[in-house]
């Protein structure tokens, strides 16, 4: 099939820019957007690609926190971009979960919790699905970001050193990680943002190895144990894969949890006669159904509206106008601390 006229125009610009330009896209982007990306990945891969890239400009097809992470990683140790820049074709594409935590509230929670047990280090672990100011608080207190692809490693790293963890913003990701690492449910205490002291007593804090911020991905959190029962009944021989942003009671009933890359890799490695039920964003599940060469069913189709905002028209418009509203610039005063937390993750 011939490429669309829009894609042809974008490709003309891409040829003109050559290696000075990199287009990155997340797995939840539409297939037509994916078709014009130089690389597609999960949050961890995209962070690594941004960190390694020498491109002058990165066009990021994804949501705000991803483009911000790329901007943090292209800066030098002094926070200067040295003529390099990150552009988000859909500048209003955010992440509702990232917006469930802000820097001042995380700082206040950290101060309250650390004061309860000053001799045990309280280390923030912040999901990359967070705003730059939250990453900066994390870096300032010796913490690390994590993704759904490396969360077990990051959490284990700090727990093994005897630290207590303050994990934000996704309560479900960290609860799934702790369950999969073999910790009892009593090892996790939930910090409720709206309540004084997060609604926790000093005893509950002292008992916990990890304090979970009460944020979530509204899309993945909508999965229920009923969805699993219905899918298992309909496809009894299928393996069930789910993203770890799903609630723990749901994810515990799956055969595997994994990042978007983890899900893709599991399906690609499997024999061609295998059948899968996949619980994550529908743009990716649809693409897997068409391209993976295996039989795939959606656990229940769920769509991330923000991820779906990027279009070919907007990508073309970035090339034509380089409109400043699409230019992603993390404030200079946040970059140094935010960079510490992201670089620690990449080093772990
Ligand atoms: P991945 O890192 O698994 O790609 O997930 C990102 C995300 O936003 C999932 O909702
Ligand atoms: Fe955020 Fe959920 Fe969309 Fe991922 S799927 S970008 S966590 S709202």
């Amino acid at each position: 099939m011939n490429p669309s006229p829009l894609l042809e125009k974008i490709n003309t610009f891409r040829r003109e820019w050559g290696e000075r330009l990199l287009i990155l896209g997340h797995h939840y982007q539409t297939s037509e957007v994916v078709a014009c990306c130089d690389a597609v990945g999960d949050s961890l891969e995209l962070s690594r690609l941004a960190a390694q890239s020498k491109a002058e400009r990165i066009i990021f097809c994804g949501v705000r926190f991803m483009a911000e992470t790329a901007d943090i990683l292209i800066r030098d140790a002094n926070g200067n971009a040295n003529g390099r820049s990150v552009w988000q074709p859909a500048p209003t594409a955010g992440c509702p979960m990232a917006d469930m935590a802000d820097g001042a509230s995380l700082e206040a929670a950290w101060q309250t919790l650390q004061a309860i047990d000053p001799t045990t280090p309280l280390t923030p672990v912040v999901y990359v699905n967070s705003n730059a100011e939250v990453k900066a608080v994390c870096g300032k207190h010796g913490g690390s970001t994590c993704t759904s692809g490396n969360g077990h490693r990051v959490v284990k790293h700090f727990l093994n050193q005897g630290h207590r963890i303050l994990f934000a913003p996704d309560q479900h990701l960290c609860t799934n990680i702790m369950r999969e690492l073999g910790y009892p449910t009593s090892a996790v205490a939930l910090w409720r943002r709206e309540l004084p002291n997060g609604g926790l007593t000093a005893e509950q804090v002292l008992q916990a190895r990890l304090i979970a911020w009460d944020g979530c991905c509204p899309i993945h959190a909508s999965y229920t144990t009923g969805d699993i029962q219905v899918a298992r009944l309909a496809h009894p021989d299928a393996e069930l894969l789910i993203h770890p942003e799903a609630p723990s009671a749901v994810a515990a009933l799956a055969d595997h949890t994994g990042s978007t890359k983890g899900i893709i890799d599991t399906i690609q490695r499997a024999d061609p006669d295998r059948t899968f039920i996949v619980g994550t964003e529908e743009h990716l599940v649809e693409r897997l159904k068409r391209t993976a060469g295996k039989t795939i069913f959606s656990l229940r189709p769920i769509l991330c509206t923000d991820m779906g905002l990027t279009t070919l028209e907007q990508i073309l418009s970035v090339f034509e106008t380089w409109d400043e509203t699409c230019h992603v610039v993390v404030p200079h005063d946040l970059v140094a601390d935010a960079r510490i937390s992201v670089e620690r993750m990449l080093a772990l």
Side-chain angles (χ1 to χ4, degrees):
M1 198 173 55
N2 288 335
S4 72
L6 274 174
L7 188 55
E8 276 181 7
K9 283 187 190 170
I10 291 169
N11 284 340
T12 305
F13 277 114
R14 287 172 74 197
R15 280 191 291 275
E16 278 169 21
W17 276 85
E19 294 194 346
R20 293 180 299 131
L21 181 106
L22 179 69
I23 307 186
L24 296 177
H26 185 262
H27 287 304
Y28 293 163
Q29 295 294 296
T30 63
S31 292
E32 59 175 14
V33 168
V34 162
C36 76
C37 290
D38 294 303
V40 181
D42 69 358
S43 309
L44 182 59
E45 289 176 297
L46 294 172
S47 300
R48 287 205 175 111
L49 288 166
Q52 289 158 6
S53 163
K54 298 277 177 281
E56 205 177 292
R57 294 189 181 188
I58 296 178
I59 296 183
F60 210 114
C61 304
V63 293
R64 190 76 183 175
F65 75 80
M66 295 178 171
E68 280 186 353
T69 305
D71 182 49
I72 289 164
L73 285 166
I74 63 164
R75 308 290 189 93
D76 66 20
N78 298 317
N80 297 320
N82 303 312
R84 302 177 67 205
S85 51
V86 177
W87 301 78
Q88 191 187 5
T92 59
C95 167
M97 160 151 61
D99 293 338
M100 292 178 193
D102 64 86
S105 307
L106 186 68
E107 175 68 33
W110 185 86
Q111 296 288 350
T112 303
L113 290 162
Q114 184 65 93
I116 291 171
D117 184 8
T119 56
T120 305
L122 177 70
T123 301
V125 174
V126 159
Y127 193 21
V128 282
N129 299 36
S130 55
N131 298 323
E133 58 177 40
V134 167
K135 292 186 175 75
V137 171
C138 177
K140 187 174 123 194
H141 293 300
S144 170
T145 57
C146 78
T147 71
S148 53
N150 64 7
H152 294 77
R153 188 158 67 240
V154 175
V155 165
K156 209 157 71 174
H157 171 80
F158 291 114
L159 292 180
N160 284 350
Q161 292 178 43
H163 297 200
R164 182 177 288 115
I165 289 175
L166 172 57
F167 192 105
D170 190 4
Q171 59 181 292
H172 298 311
L173 174 63
C174 63
T175 308
N176 279 317
I177 290 172
M178 292 296 273
R179 178 175 46 76
E180 289 167 1
L181 289 176
Y183 285 90
T185 49
S186 59
V188 177
L190 189 65
W191 177 271
R192 293 187 172 85
R193 279 165 287 161
E194 304 306 327
L195 298 180
N197 296 325
L200 293 173
T201 62
E203 290 77 66
Q204 286 170 319
V205 173
L206 291 170
Q207 217 189 43
R209 298 298 317 275
L210 181 147
I211 317 288
W213 199 258
D214 65 348
C216 69
C217 164
I219 294 127
H220 287 90
S222 73
Y223 282 132
T224 64
T225 53
D227 290 327
I228 304 265
Q229 283 156 7
V230 169
R232 291 268 197 217
L233 269 175
H235 314 292
D237 298 328
E239 223 170 300
L240 203 153
L241 313 176
I242 197 164
H243 196 279
E245 288 171 9
S248 185
V250 179
L253 300 177
D255 296 307
H256 304 283
T257 61
S259 73
T260 51
K261 173 181 161 49
I263 290 172
I264 295 166
D265 287 351
T266 305
I267 292 173
Q268 278 173 350
R269 276 196 304 264
D271 294 336
D273 60 346
R274 298 303 297 274
T275 302
F276 293 93
I277 300 162
V278 180
T280 194
E281 213 270 349
E282 191 60 13
H283 287 114
L284 171 58
V285 183
E286 267 301 311
R287 196 154 46 249
L288 284 167
K289 285 179 188 172
R290 280 188 282 105
T291 61
K294 318 275 154 74
T295 306
I296 293 170
F297 302 99
S298 304
L299 173 57
R300 178 171 51 77
I302 54 168
L303 278 173
C304 175
T305 321
D306 287 88
M307 281 286 186
L309 288 176
T310 312
T311 62
L312 291 188
E313 283 83 354
Q314 288 166 319
I315 297 171
L316 181 59
S317 163
V318 170
F319 279 113
E320 286 173 341
T321 64
W322 297 103
D323 187 317
E324 270 304 308
T325 54
C326 297
H327 187 184
V328 177
V329 186
V330 173
H332 201 269
D333 59 326
L334 296 178
V335 170
D337 283 335
R339 220 178 116 97
I340 291 172
S341 66
V342 182
E343 286 195 328
R344 190 168 286 128
M345 167 184 83
L346 294 177
L348 276 176

